[in-house]
Amino acid sequence: MSASIIDALPYYDKQADDPGRKAAAQALIDAELKSIPQLANDDPRLPPNVEVFPKSSALSELLDGYPGAPIRGIDPSKYNPPAVGPDADIEELKEAEKRGRIGEGHMAIRNENASILSSYGPNAWLVRNYQLNAELKELQETLSGLKEKVTDVNRSRRVFQEETGAHLSRLETRWQDLVGSTVQLEMACGALEGEVKGLRRKETELREQVDKLEEASA
């Protein structure tokens, strides 16, 4: 990992533990979230709703209101034996016969399905359970491997960041020492410049005194 692309060392920097810094960061996050426009449910950029049973209105009615409301069960009343009064006319009798035949056919299909299920269902159930257990075991092994990889990555990141942080601390200490040495050197240079100026003034004064003495002796 190249140190040139590192802009944060969360395993080393402790500024994030400061409550004030945390509050400031959270305020920035909240402000950013407020600036993001919220999409309406009918926004054209959202994908359209998918009809689960496009060819069956009866089955589609079972999902009305879902997921806000629970899925409704199938109404079995239409398969009940028809009830006809003693004063029923021929049309009502025909309708009752039709409903009776529909109910009889429905029950025959249910009996056939139950018979097939009792014959082949247990083995199919066991085979499917075996397949699901194999898939579950494979997924658990994959998950375990991924968790180990995540742990290794976090461990390597922590070691790298701690080593990099220690190196940065040494560089910072060296920089502070160099800055301190530079300041001391500048102060010493300033003091020497003051002494040089003082000596030059004194030299000028002495020259003036010498010149006056030479003029007086002449």
Side-chain angles (χ1 to χ4, degrees):
M1 186 180 294
S2 175
S4 61
I5 61 174
I6 296 297
D7 58 356
L9 301 175
Y11 287 104
Y12 182 79
D13 293 333
K14 302 302 180 183
Q15 291 88 343
D17 297 335
D18 184 11
R21 293 179 181 268
K22 281 187 177 180
Q26 188 62 43
L28 292 175
I29 294 174
D30 294 339
E32 181 68 19
L33 292 177
K34 289 180 180 179
S35 65
I36 299 175
Q38 301 296 324
L39 295 179
N41 293 332
D42 56 350
D43 193 284
R45 290 173 292 179
L46 295 176
N49 293 329
V50 178
E51 295 185 7
V52 182
F53 304 109
K55 297 182 179 180
S56 176
S57 59
L59 292 177
S60 297
E61 291 177 356
L62 301 179
L63 298 178
D64 287 345
Y66 183 80
I71 299 177
R72 294 184 299 173
I74 298 176
D75 184 12
S77 60
K78 57 184 177 181
Y79 302 111
N80 292 337
V84 181
D87 299 332
D89 56 13
I90 187 65
E91 295 298 331
E92 292 177 349
L93 292 175
K94 288 182 178 181
E95 180 64 23
E97 181 186 10
K98 180 180 178 181
R99 291 182 58 189
R101 290 183 181 277
I102 292 174
E104 181 183 4
H106 172 71
M107 295 306 299
I109 293 175
R110 287 178 61 89
N111 289 333
E112 183 178 357
N113 290 337
S115 177
I116 294 174
L117 181 62
S118 63
S119 299
Y120 302 102
N123 289 334
W125 181 76
L126 292 175
V127 171
R128 184 54 181 163
N129 278 349
Y130 176 79
Q131 293 174 346
L132 291 176
N133 285 331
E135 293 178 4
L136 176 61
K137 183 178 180 180
E138 182 179 357
L139 291 175
Q140 288 176 341
E141 292 176 353
T142 303
L143 177 61
S144 178
L146 292 175
K147 286 183 177 180
E148 290 180 0
K149 289 183 179 180
V150 170
T151 302
D152 293 340
V153 170
N154 288 333
R155 185 183 298 111
S156 61
R157 288 177 68 241
R158 186 184 187 94
V159 171
F160 171 78
Q161 292 186 15
E162 288 178 348
E163 292 178 351
T164 304
H167 180 63
L168 290 176
S169 296
R170 290 193 297 270
L171 292 178
E172 184 178 4
T173 302
R174 183 180 177 187
W175 175 79
Q176 291 176 352
D177 293 340
L178 291 175
V179 170
S181 300
T182 302
V183 172
Q184 292 177 0
L185 183 59
E186 289 179 353
M187 293 176 62
C189 290
L192 289 175
E193 288 179 358
E195 291 181 4
V196 169
K197 289 180 180 179
L199 292 174
R200 286 178 178 175
R201 269 195 315 271
K202 190 172 183 179
E203 180 185 7
T204 302
E205 292 175 356
L206 291 175
R207 285 184 181 277
E208 291 177 353
Q209 292 178 4
V210 170
D211 292 339
K212 289 180 180 180
L213 291 174
E214 289 179 351
E215 290 177 357
S217 61

